[in-house]
Amino acid sequence: MPCGQPDSGAAAAPARYVLGVDVGSTMVKCHVYDRAAAVRGSSCRKVESLYPRPGWVELDPEVLWSQFVGVIKEAVQTAGLHMGQIAGLGISTQRGTFITWHKRTGKPFHNFISWQDIRSAELVRSWNKSLLLKVIHVIFTVLHFLTGNDRYLAPSFLTFSTQQTSMKLSWVFKNIPEAEEAAKKNNCCFGTIDTWLLYRLTKGSVYATDYSSASSTGIFEPFTKCWSPTLCNLLSLPKSIYPPVKDTSFNFGSADSEIFGVPIPIMALVADQQSAMFGECCFHPGDVKLTMGTGGFWNVNTGERLFASQRSLYPLIGWKIGKEVVYLTEGTISDIGTAIKWAQDIDLFTSVDETAEMAQSIADSQGVCFIPGLQVSVDGTYLCASFMGLKPSTTRNHLVRAILESIAFRNKVLYDTIVKKVHIPLQTIRADGGVSNNSFVMQMTSDLINKKIEKPANADMSSLGAAFLAGLASGFWTDKEQLKKLRRIEAVFEPQKDSEEYRPAMDTWLQAMKHSLHW
């Protein structure tokens, strides 16, 4: 046994720690937390995305499984602990990424299909132009008018996009005969990453997901809290393939002892944005969480009120703990961290830490606008990232500032939509994610929305949220009031400029966005 390493066979020590694992779009991270929510040990590995064809984005399930197990073992070892000291495991996962596999053999029919994958673009375009969808709009518009029931509002303007799991799942059954055949015999299992990891951790004995991940697929109906029979019938999706849905903070069973040497209790499954919301302690109606990572996510706690979809805003289940069900409204922004990473790859800067200083070193972007892209819009047109307004005097600093300004401008547009559509007074705004470390973006966003924004000391809120949920289920922490006392704020950004000072630059950017739609 190496010197200084704890004896894994020692007498059972009190379980004084919880694990929070976050399987994100770019990294798999594990943190070991003590009762003060301080990180005692960590490990991370880069997610290895596969691009087998243009527009396809996949993950190898075996590689992901190996990374998941690896970061847990490494984090516990780094903390100088042994597995017997772990009270529970909470798992946060990227949303919408899914896999299907054979119920009897456990063998996948394909790799994980990522939420970033756009292979369903032709299906999306076809459906959005179909007569059937227009008929559905009319029927549900009439139903909403006659009943006033908000559950009929979303279908009245239903449109499909490549980000929706339903479209990609429809693609699977149209293009992978083995999956279609297995589904006909009730031998096909569907699962997001959390479901697959739980299935593997328990050697196939537990097949489940939680309400937050289920609602994030778009196939689960948040009003009725069940898998949507309407959508399944519409897209000819088998109804037998979906996992049972459990509470978010819940004893899902234990990891098989062969994996970690001891049976670690699996005490929480949660979707990453909802997990970050919980980690930020946004427990009250009107609390707002802004995550700026690979993409951007504005989440508003709407409490017991479920707001129907409002085109750019979507209703989600935040978490379910016992009888408590907390709903969220979410708005999304694509290509935030992705755009910054791309700019680094083409040598606009060496380190992301430089970008705020580069942007602040000049008065403005000289009219240069960055148009985000790499997505398929609702009407099926492809939007490509681009710069507009380039001049002979344009420097790297102007390009970098234009990229960062585009993030703040999009935050402003989405914030204004939330204020207009969500009729709940907005309270605290808390930011997390890698881009929240950029002081230029944070300050400009605060100026534009004229609101104070808090940034936590630890930006890995998805891991912390998963750990909090696992800790509550295992009795490691007693209640949410105790969790609120564990929050640590690193910085507070308060408005320093009148938002009107940004009006000319934002108007130019909005014009550039309109022009880009015709590209």
Side-chain angles (χ1 to χ4, degrees):
M1 184 177 67
C3 180
Q5 291 295 314
D7 180 2
S8 59
R16 293 175 177 166
Y17 307 91
V18 290
L19 301 180
V21 182
D22 176 35
V23 183
S25 299
T26 57
M27 302 290 287
V28 181
K29 301 177 183 178
C30 178
H31 296 307
V32 182
Y33 296 94
D34 62 19
R35 290 191 192 276
V39 176
R40 297 293 299 271
S42 299
S43 178
C44 66
R45 295 188 185 181
K46 185 178 179 181
V47 171
E48 298 175 16
S49 296
L50 306 173
Y51 306 93
R53 296 187 193 178
W56 292 28
V57 187
E58 299 181 350
L59 304 175
D60 184 316
E62 292 305 319
V63 171
L64 190 67
W65 169 249
S66 175
Q67 291 176 323
F68 175 80
V69 172
V71 294
I72 291 176
K73 290 180 177 179
E74 287 170 7
V76 173
Q77 185 177 19
T78 301
L81 306 173
H82 57 82
M83 293 294 180
Q85 292 174 274
I86 305 303
L89 166 65
I91 303 171
S92 160
T93 55
Q94 56 176 281
R95 305 174 307 176
T97 297
F98 72 93
I99 195 169
T100 62
W101 67 93
H102 197 284
K103 187 181 291 184
R104 284 192 296 105
T105 67
K107 183 180 177 181
F109 295 115
H110 51 84
N111 284 335
F112 276 108
I113 298 177
S114 169
W115 63 273
Q116 299 165 304
D117 187 287
I118 59 171
R119 72 184 65 191
S120 61
E122 289 302 323
L123 268 177
V124 168
R125 184 181 291 108
S126 174
W127 266 105
N128 287 340
K129 291 180 178 178
S130 69
L131 177 62
L132 178 57
L133 196 61
K134 291 179 174 64
V135 171
I136 289 169
H137 289 170
V138 171
I139 291 171
F140 281 96
T141 298
V142 172
L143 284 172
H144 182 253
F145 176 77
L146 293 176
T147 66
N149 191 328
D150 276 355
R151 67 174 293 190
Y152 298 127
L153 183 59
S156 70
F157 52 79
L158 172 67
T159 50
F160 292 105
S161 77
T162 55
Q163 288 192 336
Q164 291 167 333
T165 303
S166 57
M167 282 284 101
K168 283 174 275 205
L169 189 56
S170 178
W171 182 95
V172 165
F173 290 114
K174 289 179 186 296
N175 291 274
I176 302 178
E178 296 87 351
E180 182 187 27
E181 191 62 30
K184 288 177 181 176
K185 299 177 181 178
N186 290 338
N187 277 328
C188 181
C189 293
F190 161 87
T192 43
I193 290 178
D194 60 306
T195 303
W196 170 254
L197 291 175
L198 178 65
Y199 188 82
R200 290 293 298 266
L201 284 167
T202 59
K203 295 287 182 76
S205 66
V206 183
Y207 176 52
T209 188
D210 95 294
Y211 282 88
S212 69
S213 290
S215 74
S216 300
T217 63
I219 309 172
F220 189 83
E221 172 56 66
F223 281 94
T224 59
K225 300 185 191 68
C226 65
W227 298 104
S228 172
T230 305
L231 195 59
C232 289
N233 288 330
L234 185 65
L235 300 178
S236 300
L237 298 175
K239 300 184 185 70
S240 62
I241 64 173
Y242 303 106
V245 184
K246 306 292 185 183
D247 282 11
T248 309
S249 181
F250 179 77
N251 187 346
F252 287 89
S254 294
D256 191 280
S257 58
E258 287 185 11
I259 300 171
F260 300 113
V262 296
I264 297 179
I266 305 160
M267 305 304 284
L269 299 181
V270 60
D272 57 2
Q273 296 310 315
Q274 289 94 318
S275 188
M277 189 91 173
F278 202 89
E280 291 272 30
C281 296
C282 292
F283 300 143
H284 306 291
D287 284 349
V288 181
K289 186 271 301 173
L290 165 59
T291 293
M292 293 183 288
T294 305
F297 300 87
W298 283 79
N299 296 94
V300 182
N301 184 325
T302 59
E304 297 177 354
R305 294 178 64 187
L306 180 59
F307 285 84
S309 291
Q310 299 278 338
R311 296 191 186 274
S312 57
L313 301 177
Y314 306 94
L316 293 170
I317 296 175
W319 51 83
K320 183 177 182 296
I321 304 174
K323 293 181 179 179
E324 179 197 45
V325 181
V326 171
Y327 294 102
L328 311 179
T329 290
E330 177 174 280
T332 65
I333 303 170
S334 67
D335 301 322
I336 288 185
T338 311
I340 293 174
K341 177 68 169 62
W342 168 77
Q344 184 176 20
D345 289 344
I346 64 170
D347 296 325
L348 285 184
F349 53 86
T350 305
S351 167
V352 290
D353 298 334
E354 305 169 35
T355 56
E357 189 176 332
M358 290 173 73
Q360 289 160 350
S361 70
I362 51 178
D364 54 50
S365 65
Q366 274 193 355
V368 176
C369 298
F370 176 71
I371 309 304
L374 307 176
Q375 59 183 307
V376 179
S377 68
V378 165
D379 64 1
T381 55
Y382 288 82
L383 304 179
C384 295
S386 59
F387 285 103
M388 291 189 182
L390 297 176
K391 306 170 186 66
S393 58
T394 299
T395 66
R396 290 185 182 189
N397 289 358
H398 294 115
L399 297 177
V400 168
R401 182 173 176 122
I403 291 172
L404 300 186
E405 283 183 344
S406 77
I407 297 171
F409 289 149
R410 285 184 286 163
N411 280 337
K412 166 65 172 171
V413 169
L414 193 48
Y415 174 82
D416 286 348
T417 302
I418 290 169
V419 170
K420 183 179 179 181
K421 301 268 179 95
V422 179
H423 306 296
I424 290 179
L426 301 185
Q427 307 297 331
T428 310
I429 299 177
R430 294 166 180 164
D432 65 90
V435 183
S436 70
N437 293 317
N438 190 293
S439 59
F440 179 85
V441 172
M442 291 287 285
Q443 186 58 58
M444 188 171 175
T445 299
S446 174
D447 291 344
L448 285 168
I449 68 174
N450 195 33
K451 280 277 191 178
K452 179 175 73 174
I453 305 175
E454 295 179 359
K455 180 187 174 300
N458 179 0
D460 286 335
M461 282 295 116
S462 293
S463 295
L464 181 59
F468 276 171
L469 287 159
L472 288 178
S474 62
F476 189 78
W477 289 300
T478 54
D479 54 32
K480 286 185 284 188
E481 289 304 311
Q482 182 184 7
L483 299 183
K484 285 195 279 189
K485 294 174 184 175
L486 301 177
R487 286 193 70 241
R488 299 289 180 268
I489 300 171
E490 180 181 278
V492 178
F493 293 84
E494 300 200 41
Q496 294 181 357
K497 287 185 182 179
D498 191 307
S499 61
E500 284 301 309
E501 292 186 39
Y502 296 98
R503 175 70 61 185
M506 187 161 181
D507 285 346
T508 301
W509 178 80
L510 289 169
Q511 279 296 113
M513 286 289 287
K514 287 179 183 176
H515 286 308
S516 72
L517 294 175
H518 305 292
W519 179 253

